[in-house]
Amino acid sequence: MVAAPLPLVRRQIAAVRRLISAHDPYAANTKRLSCETGEDGQIIEEYSVLDRFGPVTLGYRTTITLDRSGAVRYDTSLLGGRVHMTTRQSCEAVDGRVRIHDTVDITAPPVLLQIVYAGVASAQTDLLARLKAAAEAADN
């Protein structure tokens, strides 16, 4: 739970979508390929990301959708589509505080699933802790 106003937390969740390195600590290069606004007001952005793990580089694409309620959806494919992740973040007011909902669906070959899950879990835990700290600091 975040001790900050709902509009502030929504703005923070929406803003962090442009900081790929906040989600991916290995991002070495990020390029926004497109940005469009749908008729329903959704903002849809596509990024190309290059990760660097020591001497190994790995590229992937992610499509980020921000809807009018402030919810964000990330659709990420890598390794030729063999690994796919869908992440959804939204928030709601609960008893004067804000609950952030963060859901991640991962599809990967069995041999990679545990590695992908561990990386995503670590990155999302860190991201949510930083979002909470930033929102609470901004509200004080």
Side-chain angles (χ1 to χ4, degrees):
M1 298 287 278
V2 180
L6 181 61
L8 173 64
V9 176
R10 280 189 175 143
R11 283 193 307 274
Q12 295 241 334
I13 288 173
V16 80
R17 79 182 192 279
R18 292 182 182 209
L19 302 173
I20 299 297
S21 61
H23 300 271
D24 181 355
Y26 300 104
N29 189 355
T30 302
K31 181 179 179 185
R32 186 163 78 169
L33 303 174
S34 66
C35 180
E36 57 188 62
T37 302
E39 290 180 16
D40 56 1
Q42 287 188 335
I43 298 171
I44 303 165
E45 299 171 305
E46 186 173 2
Y47 289 86
S48 172
V49 181
L50 184 64
D51 278 1
R52 185 157 290 128
F53 307 93
V56 178
T57 57
L58 172 70
Y60 67 89
R61 288 192 182 228
T62 189
T63 301
I64 304 170
T65 305
L66 172 66
D67 73 19
R68 294 180 73 182
S69 74
V72 180
R73 176 185 169 122
Y74 301 83
D75 287 299
T76 304
S77 291
L78 58 147
L79 296 176
R82 289 178 289 192
V83 175
H84 185 85
M85 296 170 284
T86 300
T87 306
R88 290 174 295 284
Q89 294 174 335
S90 62
C91 55
E92 66 176 333
V94 177
D95 298 328
R97 299 178 81 185
V98 176
R99 174 176 289 137
I100 297 175
H101 298 279
D102 185 63
T103 305
V104 181
D105 297 318
I106 301 170
T107 304
V111 69
L112 296 176
L113 191 56
Q114 183 134 4
I115 294 167
V116 173
Y117 175 82
V120 170
S122 175
Q124 290 302 105
T125 299
D126 183 55
L127 171 68
L128 292 171
R130 286 186 282 135
L131 271 172
K132 180 182 188 314
E136 290 176 347
D139 188 44
N140 290 326

mmCIF file of all heavy atoms in Angstrom, residues 71-96:
data_model
loop_
_atom_site.group_PDB
_atom_site.id
_atom_site.type_symbol
_atom_site.label_atom_id
_atom_site.label_comp_id
_atom_site.label_asym_id
_atom_site.label_seq_id
_atom_site.Cartn_x
_atom_site.Cartn_y
_atom_site.Cartn_z
ATOM 1 N N ALA A 71 -4.084 2.904 -16.266
ATOM 2 C CA ALA A 71 -3.527 1.555 -16.254
ATOM 3 C C ALA A 71 -2.553 1.397 -17.419
ATOM 4 O O ALA A 71 -2.748 1.956 -18.495
ATOM 5 C CB ALA A 71 -4.630 0.510 -16.357
ATOM 6 N N VAL A 72 -1.487 0.640 -17.182
ATOM 7 C CA VAL A 72 -0.453 0.434 -18.195
ATOM 8 C C VAL A 72 -0.323 -1.054 -18.466
ATOM 9 O O VAL A 72 -0.351 -1.877 -17.549
ATOM 10 C CB VAL A 72 0.914 0.997 -17.728
ATOM 11 C CG1 VAL A 72 1.977 0.790 -18.788
ATOM 12 C CG2 VAL A 72 0.802 2.467 -17.372
ATOM 13 N N ARG A 73 -0.182 -1.390 -19.750
ATOM 14 C CA ARG A 73 0.019 -2.785 -20.170
ATOM 15 C C ARG A 73 1.279 -2.830 -21.025
ATOM 16 O O ARG A 73 1.452 -2.026 -21.944
ATOM 17 C CB ARG A 73 -1.173 -3.275 -20.975
ATOM 18 C CG ARG A 73 -1.000 -4.671 -21.526
ATOM 19 C CD ARG A 73 -2.175 -5.040 -22.416
ATOM 20 N NE ARG A 73 -1.902 -6.244 -23.142
ATOM 21 C CZ ARG A 73 -2.646 -7.336 -23.072
ATOM 22 N NH1 ARG A 73 -3.719 -7.364 -22.315
ATOM 23 N NH2 ARG A 73 -2.316 -8.401 -23.768
ATOM 24 N N TYR A 74 2.156 -3.791 -20.711
ATOM 25 C CA TYR A 74 3.388 -4.010 -21.452
ATOM 26 C C TYR A 74 3.298 -5.376 -22.114
ATOM 27 O O TYR A 74 3.064 -6.369 -21.433
ATOM 28 C CB TYR A 74 4.599 -4.021 -20.506
ATOM 29 C CG TYR A 74 4.786 -2.756 -19.715
ATOM 30 C CD1 TYR A 74 4.080 -2.549 -18.535
ATOM 31 C CD2 TYR A 74 5.677 -1.784 -20.132
ATOM 32 C CE1 TYR A 74 4.265 -1.391 -17.794
ATOM 33 C CE2 TYR A 74 5.855 -0.619 -19.392
ATOM 34 C CZ TYR A 74 5.135 -0.439 -18.225
ATOM 35 O OH TYR A 74 5.315 0.707 -17.501
ATOM 36 N N ASP A 75 3.466 -5.437 -23.414
ATOM 37 C CA ASP A 75 3.530 -6.701 -24.150
ATOM 38 C C ASP A 75 4.938 -6.804 -24.719
ATOM 39 O O ASP A 75 5.324 -6.016 -25.581
ATOM 40 C CB ASP A 75 2.495 -6.748 -25.276
ATOM 41 C CG ASP A 75 1.097 -6.931 -24.727
ATOM 42 O OD1 ASP A 75 0.859 -7.961 -24.079
ATOM 43 O OD2 ASP A 75 0.264 -6.031 -24.930
ATOM 44 N N THR A 76 5.684 -7.774 -24.221
ATOM 45 C CA THR A 76 7.094 -7.897 -24.562
ATOM 46 C C THR A 76 7.372 -9.270 -25.148
ATOM 47 O O THR A 76 6.960 -10.278 -24.572
ATOM 48 C CB THR A 76 7.960 -7.684 -23.302
ATOM 49 O OG1 THR A 76 7.625 -6.414 -22.734
ATOM 50 C CG2 THR A 76 9.429 -7.743 -23.628
ATOM 51 N N SER A 77 8.073 -9.297 -26.284
ATOM 52 C CA SER A 77 8.469 -10.556 -26.920
ATOM 53 C C SER A 77 9.968 -10.545 -27.153
ATOM 54 O O SER A 77 10.523 -9.541 -27.589
ATOM 55 C CB SER A 77 7.772 -10.738 -28.264
ATOM 56 O OG SER A 77 6.408 -10.965 -28.073
ATOM 57 N N LEU A 78 10.598 -11.685 -26.862
ATOM 58 C CA LEU A 78 12.011 -11.822 -27.148
ATOM 59 C C LEU A 78 12.328 -13.246 -27.569
ATOM 60 O O LEU A 78 11.476 -14.134 -27.479
ATOM 61 C CB LEU A 78 12.868 -11.384 -25.959
ATOM 62 C CG LEU A 78 12.683 -12.069 -24.636
ATOM 63 C CD1 LEU A 78 14.028 -12.130 -23.922
ATOM 64 C CD2 LEU A 78 11.742 -11.256 -23.762
ATOM 65 N N LEU A 79 13.531 -13.431 -28.030
ATOM 66 C CA LEU A 79 13.977 -14.725 -28.561
ATOM 67 C C LEU A 79 13.040 -15.226 -29.650
ATOM 68 O O LEU A 79 12.562 -16.354 -29.627
ATOM 69 C CB LEU A 79 14.121 -15.760 -27.436
ATOM 70 C CG LEU A 79 15.184 -15.450 -26.378
ATOM 71 C CD1 LEU A 79 15.154 -16.492 -25.283
ATOM 72 C CD2 LEU A 79 16.568 -15.362 -27.007
ATOM 73 N N GLY A 80 12.764 -14.347 -30.593
ATOM 74 C CA GLY A 80 11.916 -14.715 -31.726
ATOM 75 C C GLY A 80 10.494 -15.068 -31.323
ATOM 76 O O GLY A 80 9.829 -15.850 -31.986
ATOM 77 N N GLY A 81 10.020 -14.493 -30.215
ATOM 78 C CA GLY A 81 8.660 -14.765 -29.750
ATOM 79 C C GLY A 81 8.548 -15.993 -28.862
ATOM 80 O O GLY A 81 7.476 -16.312 -28.375
ATOM 81 N N ARG A 82 9.657 -16.684 -28.631
ATOM 82 C CA ARG A 82 9.608 -17.867 -27.758
ATOM 83 C C ARG A 82 9.359 -17.491 -26.311
ATOM 84 O O ARG A 82 8.867 -18.296 -25.529
ATOM 85 C CB ARG A 82 10.877 -18.686 -27.877
ATOM 86 C CG ARG A 82 10.967 -19.408 -29.233
ATOM 87 C CD ARG A 82 12.240 -20.158 -29.345
ATOM 88 N NE ARG A 82 13.293 -19.147 -29.490
ATOM 89 C CZ ARG A 82 14.516 -19.390 -29.842
ATOM 90 N NH1 ARG A 82 14.909 -20.617 -30.053
ATOM 91 N NH2 ARG A 82 15.398 -18.428 -29.978
ATOM 92 N N VAL A 83 9.722 -16.263 -25.940
ATOM 93 C CA VAL A 83 9.440 -15.748 -24.607
ATOM 94 C C VAL A 83 8.529 -14.545 -24.778
ATOM 95 O O VAL A 83 8.828 -13.632 -25.550
ATOM 96 C CB VAL A 83 10.733 -15.347 -23.861
ATOM 97 C CG1 VAL A 83 10.400 -14.706 -22.520
ATOM 98 C CG2 VAL A 83 11.645 -16.549 -23.678
ATOM 99 N N HIS A 84 7.402 -14.564 -24.076
ATOM 100 C CA HIS A 84 6.457 -13.446 -24.138
ATOM 101 C C HIS A 84 6.005 -13.119 -22.717
ATOM 102 O O HIS A 84 5.702 -14.019 -21.929
ATOM 103 C CB HIS A 84 5.237 -13.776 -25.002
ATOM 104 C CG HIS A 84 4.339 -12.603 -25.156
ATOM 105 N ND1 HIS A 84 4.538 -11.636 -26.113
ATOM 106 C CD2 HIS A 84 3.267 -12.214 -24.450
ATOM 107 C CE1 HIS A 84 3.609 -10.709 -25.983
ATOM 108 N NE2 HIS A 84 2.824 -11.035 -24.976
ATOM 109 N N MET A 85 5.984 -11.840 -22.423
ATOM 110 C CA MET A 85 5.518 -11.374 -21.116
ATOM 111 C C MET A 85 4.482 -10.290 -21.314
ATOM 112 O O MET A 85 4.657 -9.405 -22.151
ATOM 113 C CB MET A 85 6.686 -10.809 -20.308
ATOM 114 C CG MET A 85 7.731 -11.838 -19.963
ATOM 115 S SD MET A 85 9.212 -11.115 -19.272
ATOM 116 C CE MET A 85 9.967 -10.448 -20.754
ATOM 117 N N THR A 86 3.418 -10.382 -20.555
ATOM 118 C CA THR A 86 2.413 -9.330 -20.507
ATOM 119 C C THR A 86 2.342 -8.858 -19.066
ATOM 120 O O THR A 86 2.084 -9.651 -18.163
ATOM 121 C CB THR A 86 1.033 -9.826 -20.969
ATOM 122 O OG1 THR A 86 1.144 -10.293 -22.317
ATOM 123 C CG2 THR A 86 0.003 -8.722 -20.901
ATOM 124 N N THR A 87 2.610 -7.586 -18.874
ATOM 125 C CA THR A 87 2.585 -6.988 -17.544
ATOM 126 C C THR A 87 1.492 -5.937 -17.521
ATOM 127 O O THR A 87 1.387 -5.131 -18.441
ATOM 128 C CB THR A 87 3.941 -6.320 -17.218
ATOM 129 O OG1 THR A 87 4.970 -7.273 -17.405
ATOM 130 C CG2 THR A 87 3.967 -5.783 -15.808
ATOM 131 N N ARG A 88 0.674 -5.960 -16.469
ATOM 132 C CA ARG A 88 -0.381 -4.967 -16.304
ATOM 133 C C ARG A 88 -0.222 -4.303 -14.947
ATOM 134 O O ARG A 88 -0.064 -4.989 -13.938
ATOM 135 C CB ARG A 88 -1.746 -5.630 -16.412
ATOM 136 C CG ARG A 88 -2.084 -6.106 -17.822
ATOM 137 C CD ARG A 88 -3.386 -6.886 -17.894
ATOM 138 N NE ARG A 88 -3.364 -8.146 -17.168
ATOM 139 C CZ ARG A 88 -2.770 -9.259 -17.577
ATOM 140 N NH1 ARG A 88 -2.122 -9.281 -18.714
ATOM 141 N NH2 ARG A 88 -2.817 -10.357 -16.855
ATOM 142 N N GLN A 89 -0.258 -2.966 -14.947
ATOM 143 C CA GLN A 89 -0.174 -2.202 -13.709
ATOM 144 C C GLN A 89 -1.337 -1.231 -13.646
ATOM 145 O O GLN A 89 -1.612 -0.524 -14.610
ATOM 146 C CB GLN A 89 1.142 -1.431 -13.617
ATOM 147 C CG GLN A 89 2.343 -2.323 -13.514
ATOM 148 C CD GLN A 89 3.640 -1.557 -13.571
ATOM 149 O OE1 GLN A 89 3.699 -0.470 -14.129
ATOM 150 N NE2 GLN A 89 4.687 -2.130 -13.004
ATOM 151 N N SER A 90 -2.001 -1.233 -12.504
ATOM 152 C CA SER A 90 -3.079 -0.284 -12.252
ATOM 153 C C SER A 90 -3.096 -0.007 -10.757
ATOM 154 O O SER A 90 -2.359 -0.626 -9.994
ATOM 155 C CB SER A 90 -4.421 -0.840 -12.725
ATOM 156 O OG SER A 90 -4.745 -2.023 -12.001
ATOM 157 N N CYS A 91 -3.926 0.921 -10.337
ATOM 158 C CA CYS A 91 -4.004 1.215 -8.905
ATOM 159 C C CYS A 91 -5.415 1.643 -8.546
ATOM 160 O O CYS A 91 -6.203 2.043 -9.403
ATOM 161 C CB CYS A 91 -2.983 2.276 -8.516
ATOM 162 S SG CYS A 91 -3.065 3.801 -9.445
ATOM 163 N N GLU A 92 -5.710 1.518 -7.252
ATOM 164 C CA GLU A 92 -7.018 1.905 -6.744
ATOM 165 C C GLU A 92 -6.868 2.443 -5.334
ATOM 166 O O GLU A 92 -5.948 2.062 -4.602
ATOM 167 C CB GLU A 92 -7.977 0.708 -6.745
ATOM 168 C CG GLU A 92 -7.579 -0.381 -5.769
ATOM 169 C CD GLU A 92 -8.569 -1.528 -5.693
ATOM 170 O OE1 GLU A 92 -9.753 -1.313 -5.952
ATOM 171 O OE2 GLU A 92 -8.136 -2.635 -5.360
ATOM 172 N N ALA A 93 -7.773 3.341 -4.951
ATOM 173 C CA ALA A 93 -7.781 3.885 -3.594
ATOM 174 C C ALA A 93 -8.429 2.876 -2.662
ATOM 175 O O ALA A 93 -9.480 2.306 -2.986
ATOM 176 C CB ALA A 93 -8.544 5.203 -3.567
ATOM 177 N N VAL A 94 -7.796 2.645 -1.513
ATOM 178 C CA VAL A 94 -8.316 1.737 -0.501
ATOM 179 C C VAL A 94 -8.033 2.351 0.868
ATOM 180 O O VAL A 94 -6.863 2.482 1.256
ATOM 181 C CB VAL A 94 -7.661 0.334 -0.597
ATOM 182 C CG1 VAL A 94 -8.166 -0.573 0.510
ATOM 183 C CG2 VAL A 94 -7.888 -0.289 -1.958
ATOM 184 N N ASP A 95 -9.081 2.747 1.566
ATOM 185 C CA ASP A 95 -8.943 3.276 2.932
ATOM 186 C C ASP A 95 -7.909 4.396 3.042
ATOM 187 O O ASP A 95 -7.051 4.392 3.926
ATOM 188 C CB ASP A 95 -8.586 2.148 3.912
ATOM 189 C CG ASP A 95 -9.668 1.080 3.993
ATOM 190 O OD1 ASP A 95 -10.855 1.436 3.837
ATOM 191 O OD2 ASP A 95 -9.321 -0.089 4.202
ATOM 192 N N GLY A 96 -7.961 5.360 2.137
ATOM 193 C CA GLY A 96 -7.075 6.512 2.197
ATOM 194 C C GLY A 96 -5.665 6.270 1.698
ATOM 195 O O GLY A 96 -4.814 7.141 1.785
#
